[in-house]
mmCIF file with all atom_site columns, all heavy atoms in Angstrom:
data_model
loop_
_atom_site.group_PDB
_atom_site.id
_atom_site.type_symbol
_atom_site.label_atom_id
_atom_site.label_alt_id
_atom_site.label_comp_id
_atom_site.label_asym_id
_atom_site.label_entity_id
_atom_site.label_seq_id
_atom_site.pdbx_PDB_ins_code
_atom_site.Cartn_x
_atom_site.Cartn_y
_atom_site.Cartn_z
_atom_site.occupancy
_atom_site.B_iso_or_equiv
_atom_site.pdbx_formal_charge
_atom_site.auth_seq_id
_atom_site.auth_comp_id
_atom_site.auth_asym_id
_atom_site.auth_atom_id
_atom_site.pdbx_PDB_model_num
ATOM 1   N N   . GLN A 1 2   ? 56.037 111.322 136.409 1.00 0.00 ? 2   GLN A N   1
ATOM 2   C CA  . GLN A 1 2   ? 54.785 111.701 135.809 1.00 0.00 ? 2   GLN A CA  1
ATOM 3   C C   . GLN A 1 2   ? 53.767 112.007 136.883 1.00 0.00 ? 2   GLN A C   1
ATOM 4   O O   . GLN A 1 2   ? 53.608 111.277 137.850 1.00 0.00 ? 2   GLN A O   1
ATOM 5   C CB  . GLN A 1 2   ? 54.291 110.574 134.898 1.00 0.00 ? 2   GLN A CB  1
ATOM 6   C CG  . GLN A 1 2   ? 55.096 110.444 133.622 1.00 0.00 ? 2   GLN A CG  1
ATOM 7   C CD  . GLN A 1 2   ? 55.029 111.710 132.797 1.00 0.00 ? 2   GLN A CD  1
ATOM 8   O OE1 . GLN A 1 2   ? 53.980 112.251 132.545 1.00 0.00 ? 2   GLN A OE1 1
ATOM 9   N NE2 . GLN A 1 2   ? 56.185 112.205 132.386 1.00 0.00 ? 2   GLN A NE2 1
ATOM 10  N N   . ASN A 1 31  ? 44.059 122.972 138.063 1.00 0.00 ? 31  ASN A N   1
ATOM 11  C CA  . ASN A 1 31  ? 43.083 122.461 137.117 1.00 0.00 ? 31  ASN A CA  1
ATOM 12  C C   . ASN A 1 31  ? 43.661 121.230 136.431 1.00 0.00 ? 31  ASN A C   1
ATOM 13  O O   . ASN A 1 31  ? 44.854 120.917 136.588 1.00 0.00 ? 31  ASN A O   1
ATOM 14  C CB  . ASN A 1 31  ? 42.671 123.530 136.092 1.00 0.00 ? 31  ASN A CB  1
ATOM 15  C CG  . ASN A 1 31  ? 43.822 124.021 135.245 1.00 0.00 ? 31  ASN A CG  1
ATOM 16  O OD1 . ASN A 1 31  ? 44.415 123.282 134.466 1.00 0.00 ? 31  ASN A OD1 1
ATOM 17  N ND2 . ASN A 1 31  ? 44.153 125.308 135.391 1.00 0.00 ? 31  ASN A ND2 1
ATOM 18  N N   . GLN A 1 33  ? 43.588 119.205 132.565 1.00 0.00 ? 33  GLN A N   1
ATOM 19  C CA  . GLN A 1 33  ? 43.241 119.414 131.164 1.00 0.00 ? 33  GLN A CA  1
ATOM 20  C C   . GLN A 1 33  ? 43.400 118.113 130.381 1.00 0.00 ? 33  GLN A C   1
ATOM 21  O O   . GLN A 1 33  ? 44.217 117.257 130.733 1.00 0.00 ? 33  GLN A O   1
ATOM 22  C CB  . GLN A 1 33  ? 44.162 120.495 130.572 1.00 0.00 ? 33  GLN A CB  1
ATOM 23  C CG  . GLN A 1 33  ? 44.090 121.810 131.339 1.00 0.00 ? 33  GLN A CG  1
ATOM 24  C CD  . GLN A 1 33  ? 45.076 122.839 130.839 1.00 0.00 ? 33  GLN A CD  1
ATOM 25  O OE1 . GLN A 1 33  ? 45.343 122.940 129.653 1.00 0.00 ? 33  GLN A OE1 1
ATOM 26  N NE2 . GLN A 1 33  ? 45.629 123.627 131.767 1.00 0.00 ? 33  GLN A NE2 1
ATOM 27  N N   . GLN A 1 37  ? 46.261 114.255 120.577 1.00 0.00 ? 37  GLN A N   1
ATOM 28  C CA  . GLN A 1 37  ? 47.416 114.364 119.684 1.00 0.00 ? 37  GLN A CA  1
ATOM 29  C C   . GLN A 1 37  ? 47.298 113.315 118.599 1.00 0.00 ? 37  GLN A C   1
ATOM 30  O O   . GLN A 1 37  ? 47.271 112.114 118.892 1.00 0.00 ? 37  GLN A O   1
ATOM 31  C CB  . GLN A 1 37  ? 48.732 114.175 120.441 1.00 0.00 ? 37  GLN A CB  1
ATOM 32  C CG  . GLN A 1 37  ? 49.961 114.374 119.564 1.00 0.00 ? 37  GLN A CG  1
ATOM 33  C CD  . GLN A 1 37  ? 51.268 114.121 120.298 1.00 0.00 ? 37  GLN A CD  1
ATOM 34  O OE1 . GLN A 1 37  ? 51.346 113.253 121.163 1.00 0.00 ? 37  GLN A OE1 1
ATOM 35  N NE2 . GLN A 1 37  ? 52.292 114.895 119.980 1.00 0.00 ? 37  GLN A NE2 1
ATOM 36  N N   . ARG A 1 41  ? 51.874 114.903 115.373 1.00 0.00 ? 41  ARG A N   1
ATOM 37  C CA  . ARG A 1 41  ? 51.390 116.284 115.316 1.00 0.00 ? 41  ARG A CA  1
ATOM 38  C C   . ARG A 1 41  ? 51.467 116.932 116.693 1.00 0.00 ? 41  ARG A C   1
ATOM 39  O O   . ARG A 1 41  ? 51.800 116.316 117.690 1.00 0.00 ? 41  ARG A O   1
ATOM 40  C CB  . ARG A 1 41  ? 49.924 116.303 114.829 1.00 0.00 ? 41  ARG A CB  1
ATOM 41  C CG  . ARG A 1 41  ? 49.707 115.667 113.475 1.00 0.00 ? 41  ARG A CG  1
ATOM 42  C CD  . ARG A 1 41  ? 50.412 116.419 112.351 1.00 0.00 ? 41  ARG A CD  1
ATOM 43  N NE  . ARG A 1 41  ? 49.927 117.774 112.205 1.00 0.00 ? 41  ARG A NE  1
ATOM 44  C CZ  . ARG A 1 41  ? 48.869 118.094 111.480 1.00 0.00 ? 41  ARG A CZ  1
ATOM 45  N NH1 . ARG A 1 41  ? 48.173 117.164 110.863 1.00 0.00 ? 41  ARG A NH1 1
ATOM 46  N NH2 . ARG A 1 41  ? 48.512 119.364 111.377 1.00 0.00 ? 41  ARG A NH2 1
ATOM 47  N N   . ARG A 1 50  ? 38.421 122.885 136.295 1.00 0.00 ? 50  ARG A N   1
ATOM 48  C CA  . ARG A 1 50  ? 39.069 123.475 137.454 1.00 0.00 ? 50  ARG A CA  1
ATOM 49  C C   . ARG A 1 50  ? 38.908 122.570 138.671 1.00 0.00 ? 50  ARG A C   1
ATOM 50  O O   . ARG A 1 50  ? 37.998 121.737 138.731 1.00 0.00 ? 50  ARG A O   1
ATOM 51  C CB  . ARG A 1 50  ? 38.497 124.863 137.726 1.00 0.00 ? 50  ARG A CB  1
ATOM 52  C CG  . ARG A 1 50  ? 38.826 125.849 136.620 1.00 0.00 ? 50  ARG A CG  1
ATOM 53  C CD  . ARG A 1 50  ? 38.275 127.250 136.894 1.00 0.00 ? 50  ARG A CD  1
ATOM 54  N NE  . ARG A 1 50  ? 38.736 128.196 135.893 1.00 0.00 ? 50  ARG A NE  1
ATOM 55  C CZ  . ARG A 1 50  ? 38.205 128.339 134.694 1.00 0.00 ? 50  ARG A CZ  1
ATOM 56  N NH1 . ARG A 1 50  ? 37.181 127.588 134.335 1.00 0.00 ? 50  ARG A NH1 1
ATOM 57  N NH2 . ARG A 1 50  ? 38.688 129.219 133.847 1.00 0.00 ? 50  ARG A NH2 1
ATOM 58  N N   . GLY A 1 105 ? 50.452 113.103 131.521 1.00 0.00 ? 105 GLY A N   1
ATOM 59  C CA  . GLY A 1 105 ? 50.454 111.659 131.695 1.00 0.00 ? 105 GLY A CA  1
ATOM 60  C C   . GLY A 1 105 ? 50.995 110.984 130.460 1.00 0.00 ? 105 GLY A C   1
ATOM 61  O O   . GLY A 1 105 ? 51.384 111.637 129.482 1.00 0.00 ? 105 GLY A O   1
ATOM 62  N N   . GLN B 2 38  ? 59.299 114.924 123.375 1.00 0.00 ? 38  GLN B N   1
ATOM 63  C CA  . GLN B 2 38  ? 58.465 113.731 123.371 1.00 0.00 ? 38  GLN B CA  1
ATOM 64  C C   . GLN B 2 38  ? 59.140 112.643 122.565 1.00 0.00 ? 38  GLN B C   1
ATOM 65  O O   . GLN B 2 38  ? 59.400 112.828 121.366 1.00 0.00 ? 38  GLN B O   1
ATOM 66  C CB  . GLN B 2 38  ? 57.086 114.040 122.786 1.00 0.00 ? 38  GLN B CB  1
ATOM 67  C CG  . GLN B 2 38  ? 56.125 112.869 122.835 1.00 0.00 ? 38  GLN B CG  1
ATOM 68  C CD  . GLN B 2 38  ? 54.779 113.203 122.224 1.00 0.00 ? 38  GLN B CD  1
ATOM 69  O OE1 . GLN B 2 38  ? 54.688 113.997 121.280 1.00 0.00 ? 38  GLN B OE1 1
ATOM 70  N NE2 . GLN B 2 38  ? 53.710 112.616 122.752 1.00 0.00 ? 38  GLN B NE2 1
ATOM 71  N N   . SER B 2 43  ? 55.106 110.227 126.731 1.00 0.00 ? 43  SER B N   1
ATOM 72  C CA  . SER B 2 43  ? 54.447 111.466 127.116 1.00 0.00 ? 43  SER B CA  1
ATOM 73  C C   . SER B 2 43  ? 55.348 112.663 126.822 1.00 0.00 ? 43  SER B C   1
ATOM 74  O O   . SER B 2 43  ? 56.493 112.515 126.397 1.00 0.00 ? 43  SER B O   1
ATOM 75  C CB  . SER B 2 43  ? 54.119 111.418 128.607 1.00 0.00 ? 43  SER B CB  1
ATOM 76  O OG  . SER B 2 43  ? 53.417 112.573 128.976 1.00 0.00 ? 43  SER B OG  1
ATOM 77  N N   . MET B 2 45  ? 57.625 115.587 128.036 1.00 0.00 ? 45  MET B N   1
ATOM 78  C CA  . MET B 2 45  ? 58.446 115.909 129.202 1.00 0.00 ? 45  MET B CA  1
ATOM 79  C C   . MET B 2 45  ? 58.835 117.374 129.126 1.00 0.00 ? 45  MET B C   1
ATOM 80  O O   . MET B 2 45  ? 59.441 117.808 128.146 1.00 0.00 ? 45  MET B O   1
ATOM 81  C CB  . MET B 2 45  ? 59.702 115.031 129.220 1.00 0.00 ? 45  MET B CB  1
ATOM 82  C CG  . MET B 2 45  ? 59.409 113.539 129.314 1.00 0.00 ? 45  MET B CG  1
ATOM 83  S SD  . MET B 2 45  ? 58.632 113.069 130.865 1.00 0.00 ? 45  MET B SD  1
ATOM 84  C CE  . MET B 2 45  ? 59.944 113.449 132.018 1.00 0.00 ? 45  MET B CE  1
ATOM 85  N N   . SER B 2 102 ? 43.430 131.401 131.582 1.00 0.00 ? 102 SER B N   1
ATOM 86  C CA  . SER B 2 102 ? 43.312 130.605 132.797 1.00 0.00 ? 102 SER B CA  1
ATOM 87  C C   . SER B 2 102 ? 44.688 130.056 133.150 1.00 0.00 ? 102 SER B C   1
ATOM 88  O O   . SER B 2 102 ? 45.521 129.841 132.273 1.00 0.00 ? 102 SER B O   1
ATOM 89  C CB  . SER B 2 102 ? 42.332 129.457 132.588 1.00 0.00 ? 102 SER B CB  1
ATOM 90  O OG  . SER B 2 102 ? 41.037 129.923 132.297 1.00 0.00 ? 102 SER B OG  1
ATOM 91  N N   . PRO B 2 103 ? 44.922 129.786 134.453 1.00 0.00 ? 103 PRO B N   1
ATOM 92  C CA  . PRO B 2 103 ? 46.210 129.182 134.830 1.00 0.00 ? 103 PRO B CA  1
ATOM 93  C C   . PRO B 2 103 ? 46.461 127.913 134.036 1.00 0.00 ? 103 PRO B C   1
ATOM 94  O O   . PRO B 2 103 ? 45.596 127.042 133.963 1.00 0.00 ? 103 PRO B O   1
ATOM 95  C CB  . PRO B 2 103 ? 46.024 128.879 136.319 1.00 0.00 ? 103 PRO B CB  1
ATOM 96  C CG  . PRO B 2 103 ? 45.025 129.883 136.779 1.00 0.00 ? 103 PRO B CG  1
ATOM 97  C CD  . PRO B 2 103 ? 44.086 130.069 135.639 1.00 0.00 ? 103 PRO B CD  1
ATOM 98  N N   . GLY B 2 104 ? 47.635 127.834 133.451 1.00 0.00 ? 104 GLY B N   1
ATOM 99  C CA  . GLY B 2 104 ? 47.976 126.643 132.695 1.00 0.00 ? 104 GLY B CA  1
ATOM 100 C C   . GLY B 2 104 ? 47.308 126.550 131.353 1.00 0.00 ? 104 GLY B C   1
ATOM 101 O O   . GLY B 2 104 ? 47.396 125.521 130.682 1.00 0.00 ? 104 GLY B O   1
ATOM 102 N N   . GLU B 2 110 ? 52.921 122.966 116.491 1.00 0.00 ? 110 GLU B N   1
ATOM 103 C CA  . GLU B 2 110 ? 52.730 121.687 115.825 1.00 0.00 ? 110 GLU B CA  1
ATOM 104 C C   . GLU B 2 110 ? 53.892 120.726 116.047 1.00 0.00 ? 110 GLU B C   1
ATOM 105 O O   . GLU B 2 110 ? 53.833 119.583 115.628 1.00 0.00 ? 110 GLU B O   1
ATOM 106 C CB  . GLU B 2 110 ? 52.529 121.899 114.322 1.00 0.00 ? 110 GLU B CB  1
ATOM 107 C CG  . GLU B 2 110 ? 51.107 122.315 113.962 1.00 0.00 ? 110 GLU B CG  1
ATOM 108 C CD  . GLU B 2 110 ? 50.142 121.163 114.147 1.00 0.00 ? 110 GLU B CD  1
ATOM 109 O OE1 . GLU B 2 110 ? 50.329 120.097 113.531 1.00 0.00 ? 110 GLU B OE1 1
ATOM 110 O OE2 . GLU B 2 110 ? 49.200 121.331 114.942 1.00 0.00 ? 110 GLU B OE2 1
#
Side-chain angles (χ1 to χ4, degrees):
Chain A
Q2 288 299 311
N31 61 65
Q33 303 175 36
Q37 184 183 35
R41 302 295 298 274
R50 294 181 174 81
Chain B
Q38 184 181 32
S43 183
M45 299 295 295
S102 298
E110 280 289 302

